[in-house]
Amino acid sequence: DAKTTQPPSMDCAEGRAANLPCNHSTISGNEYVYWYRQIHSQGPQYIIHGLKNNETNEMASLIITEDRKSSTLILPHATLRDTAVYYCIVSTSAGGTSYGKLTFGQGTILTVHP
Amino acid sequence: DVKVTQSSRYLVKRTGEKVFLECVQDMDHENMFWYRQDPGLGLRLIYFSYDVKMKEKGDIPEGYSVSREKKERFSLILESASTYQTSMYLCASGVYNEQFFGPGTRLTVL
């Protein structure tokens, strides 16, 4: 699986958009980009994933560059409850025994300020 | 909502004891996973299972075994607990790479 690079920490004001970048320059054609977050004292939570098109759900938007070497997770209106560690993960979604082999890196600590 | 439950939130055991960590999911997922999380090392995959009675080693299986006798239940076993196994243990279930995590068990081995 391709490795990812994320900034160790970011700050955001409450109510503003939080844009979290991720570099994955060695991503291959069959690898998806996944985002998870982990709020303090809880297990990680799935946010969103995509292959090459931009994706949006009720939690966030995912923008993937055309060359797929980087992506940005956007939380459109950050709240204090969005303070968490955000993980960008690249993985295949193939069948068989390669299901679900996610490799969590260090992630980005996002702190949302009042 | 998907629910993944773990048998204990906190557990304290002595070196050499046999430890069972249990995980139950209610969404009929075929895939289940055990991770451990340590400061500075992030989450690391111990074992996963993609079907009943099937298991695969993750990145750090040494010192651990697992059991999956029923689809909804995945157990992590420490045959002889060691202090290096003091950690937060997280169970997950899911479809493809969309995984749902339990609240975690903080295990301390004295």
Side-chain angles (χ1 to χ4, degrees):
Chain A
D1 291 342
K3 290 190 175 179
T4 62
T5 304
Q6 299 177 253
S9 64
M10 293 183 65
D11 291 327
C12 178
E14 190 177 20
R16 305 297 292 268
N19 297 288
L20 291 94
C22 180
N23 284 319
H24 31 80
S25 58
T26 59
I27 193 170
S28 57
N30 64 343
E31 289 181 315
Y32 289 71
V33 180
Y34 291 82
W35 283 85
Y36 280 74
R37 73 178 182 183
Q38 187 172 21
I39 296 169
H40 184 62
S41 297
Q42 297 182 23
Q45 177 189 23
Y46 165 83
I47 301 173
I48 198 167
H49 76 279
L51 182 63
K52 53 184 176 182
N53 297 321
N54 298 337
E55 302 287 345
T56 296
N57 64 19
E58 65 278 4
M59 289 182 68
S61 295
L62 174 60
I63 308 297
I64 302 174
T65 57
E66 196 167 338
D67 64 7
R68 303 210 320 123
K69 293 185 177 182
S70 65
S71 60
T72 301
L73 179 75
I74 301 171
L75 307 178
H77 305 287
T79 71
L80 299 178
R81 287 175 295 179
D82 291 321
T83 292
V85 180
Y86 286 78
Y87 298 98
C88 170
I89 302 164
V90 172
S91 180
T92 58
S93 189
T97 60
S98 62
Y99 272 173
K101 288 204 72 174
L102 297 174
T103 301
F104 287 79
Q106 297 302 308
T108 296
I109 301 171
L110 174 69
T111 304
V112 181
H113 298 285
Chain B
D1 277 354
V2 175
K3 194 145 189 183
V4 178
T5 56
Q6 296 184 227
S7 49
S8 306
R9 199 68 203 268
Y10 299 93
L11 206 53
V12 179
K13 295 292 182 181
R14 297 212 173 271
T15 301
E17 280 193 81
K18 190 168 187 175
V19 182
F20 291 88
L21 301 182
E22 300 227 307
C23 176
V24 178
Q25 53 102 356
D26 67 358
M27 282 301 291
D28 204 35
H29 288 152
E30 292 186 351
N31 300 334
M32 295 189 74
F33 312 86
W34 275 105
Y35 295 84
R36 64 178 282 178
Q37 185 170 29
D38 301 287
L41 297 175
L43 277 91
R44 294 178 291 168
L45 181 64
I46 304 171
Y47 266 98
F48 67 101
S49 168
Y50 53 93
D51 201 353
V52 175
K53 296 191 186 295
M54 305 300 287
K55 60 186 179 186
E56 286 271 335
K57 292 180 180 179
D59 299 318
I60 51 162
E62 296 78 20
Y64 304 95
S65 62
V66 290
S67 173
R68 185 122 180 249
E69 296 295 320
K70 292 185 178 181
K71 193 174 187 178
E72 68 271 17
R73 191 179 297 268
F74 191 34
S75 301
L76 180 70
I77 304 156
L78 288 65
E79 293 289 342
S80 178
S82 172
T83 54
Y84 83 88
Q85 293 175 311
T86 290
S87 185
M88 170 68 82
Y89 289 88
L90 290 154
C91 173
S93 75
V95 179
Y96 295 100
N97 287 325
E98 186 175 339
Q99 296 182 19
F100 299 87
F101 284 79
T105 296
R106 185 165 293 282
L107 172 66
T108 302
V109 182
L110 301 176

